[in-house]
Amino acid sequence: MEFTHAEILEILSIKHKVIETKQVAFRGRLQHFQRLGFPAGANTGKGRVASYSWPELFLIGLALDCLEIGSTPDRSVNEIIKFEDVFLSAVASVAIGNSEEENEDFRCFLIVELSNLMSLKEEKDWSQTVKLLSHKNMMEILSPEGLDAYRSPYALIDLRQFLAAILNGVFGCTDRSKKRILSDLKAWAVEQAE
């Protein structure tokens, strides 16, 4: 399935509940990602219409989520490109329907440490953590004993909720049937998982 730039803007506006009077500012944020060359391959240059598919939609969606939790566009993009294959595989796994009931090590929580104060610290103290965690890992972190493997502050992104919000945006901005959208998503996910 392919999406136009206008559809990407509308899908992500729905996901992030951007009000009509702020659409120009929101479009500016997406254009900033384009100027950074993100996501790779989606920028066609002037005069050519950009075409986006599921991976680009998910990567831009993640970059916006990183902005939501306080990261800068440059920092978000720099970190995402380091682990985009792992991230897309995890989203594909969620789309296929794998779950912690089937596998307690099913990783669907993204833990993100994107400190804006990092440049004020000594380089040896720079933290750049982005990892996928399972429900089991989350329970260890949140247990009374606590797992101190991750330093706060960090943010968690539940990829199940992330995917659901993206799909609601797709359902809300296109006349394609939900069945066709879900079928196309599953086909992408299966191909990604191979």
Side-chain angles (χ1 to χ4, degrees), residues 33-40 42-43 59-60 63 77 80-81 84:
F33 291 139
Q34 284 181 317
R35 285 190 295 278
L36 294 172
F38 181 81
N43 298 319
L59 290 168
I60 296 168
V77 166
I80 290 169
I81 60 175
E84 69 181 62

Side-chain angles (χ1 to χ4, degrees), residues 87-100 106-109 132 158-164 167 185-186 188-189:
F87 166 72
L88 291 172
S89 291
V91 172
S93 185
V94 170
I96 290 169
N98 297 336
S99 69
E100 56 267 11
F106 177 62
R107 299 178 304 154
C108 62
F109 296 99
L132 284 165
D158 182 339
L159 295 180
R160 298 166 301 181
Q161 295 297 320
F162 173 85
L163 181 58
L167 281 172
L185 173 62
K186 292 265 187 184
W188 168 79

Side-chain angles (χ1 to χ4, degrees), residues 2-194:
E2 292 196 351
F3 305 98
T4 65
H5 181 73
E7 287 175 323
I8 292 287
L9 182 64
E10 187 175 353
I11 290 164
L12 296 172
S13 291
I14 292 169
K15 179 186 184 301
H16 290 279
K17 297 180 173 68
V18 177
I19 60 174
E20 189 64 37
T21 58
K22 300 296 182 181
Q23 287 296 317
V24 172
F26 187 66
R27 186 177 312 116
R29 291 189 177 56
L30 294 180
Q31 288 170 336
H32 189 103
F33 291 139
Q34 284 181 317
R35 285 190 295 278
L36 294 172
F38 181 81
N43 298 319
T44 60
K46 290 192 176 206
R48 291 184 55 206
V49 177
S51 161
Y52 301 87
S53 59
W54 290 111
E56 291 84 17
L57 174 58
F58 296 141
L59 290 168
I60 296 168
L62 177 61
L64 287 170
D65 278 10
C66 289
L67 293 184
E68 283 267 23
I69 60 177
S71 183
T72 64
D74 294 21
R75 179 120 164 85
S76 299
V77 166
N78 287 335
E79 290 304 310
I80 290 169
I81 60 175
K82 292 177 187 176
F83 71 95
E84 69 181 62
D85 290 340
V86 172
F87 166 72
L88 291 172
S89 291
V91 172
S93 185
V94 170
I96 290 169
N98 297 336
S99 69
E100 56 267 11
E101 288 95 38
E102 299 166 14
N103 178 359
E104 68 179 20
D105 290 326
F106 177 62
R107 299 178 304 154
C108 62
F109 296 99
L110 188 67
I111 187 168
V112 184
E113 235 181 279
L114 299 172
S115 172
N116 281 325
L117 299 178
M118 184 176 76
S119 62
L120 305 176
K121 301 174 184 178
E122 286 191 49
E123 201 167 329
K124 67 179 177 68
D125 292 329
W126 286 9
S127 176
Q128 299 184 55
T129 301
V130 180
K131 294 195 185 313
L132 284 165
L133 304 175
S134 67
H135 187 265
K136 180 181 172 184
N137 298 138
M138 291 299 301
M139 292 297 91
E140 290 170 353
I141 290 170
L142 301 173
S143 73
E145 298 81 38
L147 173 63
D148 193 25
Y150 307 99
R151 290 185 327 173
S152 191
Y154 56 77
L156 294 168
I157 298 171
D158 182 339
L159 295 180
R160 298 166 301 181
Q161 295 297 320
F162 173 85
L163 181 58
I166 293 278
L167 281 172
N168 282 333
V170 173
F171 296 154
C173 87
T174 182
D175 58 358
R176 299 171 189 119
S177 72
K178 286 183 180 182
K179 184 177 179 178
R180 180 174 169 215
I181 292 166
L182 292 173
S183 174
D184 189 76
L185 173 62
K186 292 265 187 184
W188 168 79
V190 167
E191 184 178 312
Q192 178 72 29
E194 293 176 349

